[in-house]
Amino acid sequence: MTHPVSYERDGAVAVITIANPPVNALGHAVRQGLWEAIDRFSGDAEAEAALILGEGKLFIGGADISEFGKPPKDPWLPEVVNHIEACEKPVVAAIQGAALGGGLEVALGCHYRVAMKGAKLGLPEVNLGIIPGAGGTQRTPRLIGVKAAVAMIPAGGSLGAEEAVEAGLADKLGEGDPRAAGLDYARALIAEGAGPRRVGALPCPAEDAAALDEARALWKKKARGEVARLAAIDAVEASTRLEIAPGLDEERRIFREMMETSQRAGLIHAFFIERKVAKLPEIEGVAPRDFGKLGVIGGGTMGAGIATAALVRGLDVTLIERDDAAAERATATITKNLDGAVKRGKLSEAGRDAILSDSFRTATDYAALFEADLAIEAVFEDMGVKREVFTTLDKIMKPGAILATNTSYLDVNEIAEATSRPEDVIGLHFFSPAHVMKLLEVVVADKTANDVTATAFALAKKLGKVAVRAGVCDGFIGNRILSAYRAAADRMVLAGASPYAVDRAVKAFGWPMGPYEMGDLAGLDIGYATRQRKAATRDPRDVVPTWADELYHLGRLGQKTGRGYYIYEEGKRGGSEDPEVEALVAKARDDAGVTPRDFTEAEIQRRYMAALVNEAARVLEEGIARRPLDVDVTFLYGYGFPRWRGGPMHWADEAGLAGLLEDIKSYATEDDFFWRPAPLLERLVAESATFASLNDKG
Ligand code: 3H9
């Protein structure tokens, strides 16, 4: 194996190059190599300055995350950075692409920095549940001040090259080839007779109590239980009172503390699985079909959202509606969505105008789709209606075009059978609002061709979404599992928990919303319709939330009617609790002959999660989700599951599967219809295995 760090001389400049694809991460061999290269430079009488470069599209992407949690190997990164800084001759870093985390810390150990146009200089460590651990929290504020440092580090943020130069994080802006720019800079320094210039030797940055207080207040509110962001502020604060060596010790102490947290494990799990989720053997190396020209059928909230998502990412969209009035309404919704993107700075006004005049059109005749590469149907959730749409698409669309349905629960196989080309049919389940939510469930039907699946994943990437492969069943991965933990919540309410207590407990766990707030947001008519749909096949032992039916009949449909589980008042954020709802629930308990009992917050959380994990195990066993990581990604991106818990399957492994199974069995003594342990969960417990052990399946 060639060594990832090379040393060569270009005149009086020692060029030290890191070549460790794909992101030049600072694994053990790189750290060792950098150490040795600096020693060689120190002893090289011909070399008057050194230049550190990263080969490829970026400088250094950071510490090697895959080494975290394993025994550390010498030299550690902080020592390497100190070693560079201590060098007696000047060391220059030329930064292209990105210097992130440990990568920026290496650059800060260098004496001079040239940032190439387009480069990002950032400290994203908190996104992984840790803080910068190789001097980032001590050297950054010495260069840019405490206020700018606490704006960047707890946010896991970065500065662009120009901003970095302006703030003082880099010395010079470079253009073109980083090696040439770095050599020019190094030679100029030699000519000036410039010596080493150590960031660590700079005085402590001035204390800025207001900036620290403001950052703490902000992250206390925003961090939703994450500890590393606040810890990063403590580390920056330490730089204001400690010289560099004790400051680095303090940083190290906090860094180690963060390394030990389960949040670090959860966030790093999330990092790796979101990169693994699209790796499926059946699409590896399979060329996707074209998807530049999109058709969207139906311009309601969903169709308009899908069209918006596609338009802002540069795709061409033809939207089909029933009549001109409906087409106009769809255009108005899309225009409003695009205006929102302009307001948020995601799109220029000229960009919006160009989209509306060149890339978007409506039609009332399906014939307008004759050239489309891919059509996404987003009409009413009714099998008859959908099959009719697909029969028409089958007639109109060109050979090889993809026919996709955005159904959220209907049988995609049955929809595919309405066409003469089931191999071209797939489910693309977007989440509402489709131009905002990141998740795309790719529902692969029995006959879907592999290159159609590959196209769905390529489309998701183009749209900036995260795609998860799902199999066909009622609700696919996410909504199928959701219905199980919703049912557990209803059971707890019937048994005595207030719906408000359930919502509070679920939020205390880290979910953004409780099930009843969620119901109010979606509209209680949706849940009602689902119950009606399932009524004919319902098992008599199932629990029906009769109080929710009553809310529906009272016209209390949630936020849109101002009342649902909560009362919503104009101008007030969130809803307030309503004793009338408690009374409806109390009556339902009476009718069912239930003597209400109390539930603690922990008990509510446990049952909610146990129902989720148990159903997820069934979904895995049936192959609806192929790997536990597919469930984790679904919940992180589609349901707001707290990222620092890694995902529900990772949470279950951490919580302990044996204890969960035992609890499910104990709940079954009250209700053995609902609480039936999933066979996969029983098998994993019997084998002392974890969900994680199933993640390496292709
Ligand atoms: C740190 O530095 C701690 C220090 O302060 C203190 C230490 C003492 N390590 O994202 P991509 C893999 S913490 C190992 O698809 P892109 C990734 O898994 C670190 N592996 O590429 C993937 O593997 P595979 C602070 C890494 O071009 C492949 O590289 N740094 C690492 O879209 C390609 O990744 C960060 O948090 C790593 N650090 O984006 C930056 N990074 O091909 C984390 C990537 O097998 N990284 N991989 O699936 C990123 O944000 C992006 O990868 C980056 C490139 C923007 C660099």
Side-chain angles (χ1 to χ4, degrees):
M1 195 187 105
T2 54
H3 201 281
V5 180
S6 63
Y7 182 99
E8 60 171 304
R9 239 176 348 82
D10 192 326
V13 182
V15 180
I16 298 168
T17 307
I18 301 166
N20 187 26
V23 300
N24 293 331
L26 295 156
H28 179 246
V30 174
R31 299 198 302 274
Q32 183 79 42
L34 272 174
W35 186 284
E36 287 163 6
I38 290 295
D39 280 349
R40 185 162 164 196
F41 166 54
S42 297
D44 185 344
E46 312 280 307
E48 295 175 52
L51 168 64
I52 300 187
L53 292 172
E55 198 168 279
K57 63 181 183 171
L58 53 77
F59 178 65
I60 301 171
D64 186 341
I65 304 169
S66 62
E67 286 182 356
F68 289 3
K70 298 180 187 154
K73 276 198 200 165
D74 281 345
W76 293 352
L77 191 59
E79 294 164 346
V80 174
V81 173
N82 289 346
H83 193 55
I84 298 170
E85 186 172 70
C87 187
E88 295 294 343
K89 294 185 277 187
V91 183
V92 177
I95 301 163
Q96 89 286 12
L100 297 177
L104 178 56
E105 292 172 306
V106 165
L108 295 178
C110 296
H111 306 131
Y112 301 92
R113 285 159 292 282
V114 50
M116 307 304 292
K117 270 195 174 164
K120 275 194 328 189
L121 283 72
L123 293 168
E125 284 88 341
V126 292
N127 297 330
L128 302 171
I130 53 174
I131 66 161
T137 65
Q138 305 303 298
R139 292 190 176 91
T140 308
R142 280 177 162 77
L143 284 174
I144 67 176
V146 166
K147 191 173 170 150
V150 290
M152 175 168 139
I153 302 175
S158 60
L159 299 181
E162 284 89 348
E163 290 172 297
V165 172
E166 199 171 310
L169 200 59
D171 303 289
K172 255 172 100 71
L173 193 62
E175 226 174 316
D177 175 30
R179 179 183 171 110
L183 281 171
D184 281 353
Y185 192 20
R187 288 189 180 122
L189 290 166
I190 295 170
E192 279 169 30
R197 197 192 48 172
R198 301 184 178 96
V199 179
L202 293 171
C204 292
E207 233 236 271
D208 187 339
L212 289 164
D213 287 351
E214 202 179 305
R216 284 199 172 99
L218 174 76
W219 288 108
K220 250 183 207 144
K221 216 165 92 195
K222 263 179 88 172
R224 286 212 285 144
E226 274 179 55
V227 294
R229 298 182 192 272
L230 288 159
I233 302 173
D234 294 344
V236 172
E237 184 175 33
S239 75
T240 65
R241 54 185 159 80
L242 298 174
E243 288 304 323
I244 192 73
L248 291 173
D249 287 347
E250 176 62 2
E251 178 189 77
R252 189 87 203 144
R253 185 189 67 74
I254 301 175
F255 174 83
R256 283 203 173 132
E257 213 176 278
M258 293 300 114
M259 264 313 214
E260 296 304 315
T261 62
S262 61
Q263 296 195 357
R264 188 271 303 161
L267 287 162
I268 287 182
H269 173 76
F271 178 89
F272 282 119
I273 59 169
E274 67 198 13
R275 284 165 176 77
K276 218 165 161 183
V277 70
K279 293 196 173 115
L280 301 170
E282 70 268 36
I283 62 170
E284 214 176 296
V286 175
R289 299 186 190 175
D290 290 338
F291 58 85
K293 287 199 170 77
L294 230 60
V296 174
I297 298 102
T301 313
M302 212 54 204
I306 295 168
T308 309
L311 289 167
V312 293
R313 294 288 178 141
L315 300 183
D316 179 275
V317 175
T318 302
L319 187 141
I320 306 291
E321 255 300 357
R322 223 171 314 130
D323 51 40
D324 290 340
E328 258 170 52
R329 279 195 300 275
T331 305
T333 314
I334 290 167
T335 308
K336 203 174 114 213
N337 292 344
L338 293 174
D339 287 345
V342 171
K343 229 183 250 161
R344 289 192 307 275
K346 304 241 169 210
L347 188 67
S348 68
E349 286 195 18
R352 174 202 52 201
D353 296 346
I355 284 174
L356 288 170
S357 63
D358 305 338
S359 315
F360 175 67
R361 69 209 63 80
T362 60
T364 51
D365 187 345
Y366 279 72
L369 297 183
F370 76 103
E371 271 197 308
D373 301 311
L374 192 165
I376 306 173
E377 159 283 311
V379 302
F380 188 63
E381 286 281 85
D382 176 273
M383 184 54 86
V385 178
K386 302 245 184 209
R387 282 179 64 104
E388 230 170 80
V389 169
F390 273 74
T391 307
T392 311
L393 288 174
D394 190 22
K395 284 195 197 117
I396 299 293
M397 295 192 66
K398 63 185 180 190
I402 296 174
L403 282 54
T405 170
N406 175 55
T407 182
S408 47
Y409 59 84
L410 291 173
D411 184 339
V412 182
N413 286 317
E414 206 178 322
I415 295 175
E417 278 161 19
T419 74
S420 63
R421 37 174 149 174
E423 66 281 5
D424 295 340
V425 176
I426 195 162
L428 292 178
H429 180 213
F430 288 82
F431 285 66
S432 191
H435 56 299
V436 178
M437 292 294 286
K438 295 269 273 181
L439 182 66
L440 179 67
E441 269 180 317
V442 173
V443 186
V444 179
D446 290 350
K447 295 189 179 149
T448 306
N450 287 343
D451 64 344
V452 171
T453 309
T455 312
F457 275 80
L459 172 72
K461 196 164 179 201
K462 175 81 182 167
L463 300 185
K465 303 209 180 292
V466 179
V468 175
R469 182 202 180 280
V472 176
C473 72
D474 191 324
F476 315 127
I477 299 178
N479 284 345
R480 155 119 178 238
I481 295 173
L482 164 84
S483 68
Y485 62 80
R486 277 292 323 246
D490 286 341
R491 279 171 168 75
M492 287 188 273
V493 168
L494 187 65
S498 136
Y500 308 117
V502 171
D503 278 354
R504 277 194 298 273
V506 164
K507 282 193 287 185
F509 181 87
W511 293 84
M513 266 191 209
Y516 299 104
E517 280 173 302
M518 184 76 176
D520 275 1
L521 179 70
L524 298 186
D525 43 332
I526 294 190
Y528 180 79
T530 308
R531 288 191 294 280
Q532 294 294 103
R533 176 165 63 87
K534 293 188 174 170
T537 53
R538 182 177 297 126
D539 190 289
R541 290 166 295 175
D542 203 358
V543 165
V544 181
T546 51
W547 63 90
D549 289 349
E550 286 194 47
L551 286 173
Y552 170 81
H553 290 304
L554 288 169
R556 298 183 55 147
L557 303 185
Q559 287 196 14
K560 60 186 167 194
T561 59
R563 270 175 179 238
Y565 278 95
Y566 294 82
I567 301 172
Y568 301 91
E569 283 170 71
E570 199 75 33
K572 256 194 176 171
R573 269 195 83 214
S576 47
E577 299 180 8
D578 183 356
E580 262 182 43
V581 172
E582 300 265 25
L584 282 178
V585 173
K587 184 169 170 302
R589 288 182 194 128
D590 271 355
D591 292 348
V594 171
T595 312
R597 71 168 182 93
D598 284 339
F599 283 81
T600 64
E601 185 174 277
E603 202 177 353
I604 292 171
Q605 293 170 343
R606 186 78 176 168
R607 285 187 183 229
Y608 200 72
M609 287 305 299
L612 191 167
V613 171
N614 200 41
E615 189 66 13
R618 289 185 199 286
V619 161
L620 282 163
E621 191 139 46
E622 291 167 26
I624 302 301
R626 217 182 257 168
R627 305 154 299 183
L629 69 88
D630 294 310
V631 176
D632 282 344
V633 172
T634 299
F635 277 87
L636 291 178
Y637 286 97
Y639 298 80
F641 191 83
R643 191 177 167 86
W644 52 269
R645 291 197 188 270
M649 303 286 90
H650 176 83
W651 173 85
D653 279 346
E654 292 259 313
L657 301 189
L660 270 169
L661 179 61
E662 217 167 279
D663 284 355
I664 290 170
K665 285 181 176 162
S666 81
Y667 307 150
T669 60
E670 299 160 21
D671 178 354
D672 63 357
F673 169 70
F674 182 71
W675 293 106
R676 277 174 295 180
L680 174 64
L681 186 59
E682 293 195 300
R683 180 161 67 74
L684 289 175
V685 171
E687 293 169 0
S688 302
T690 56
F691 283 116
S693 67
L694 306 177
N695 271 340
D696 290 325
K697 272 174 57 182

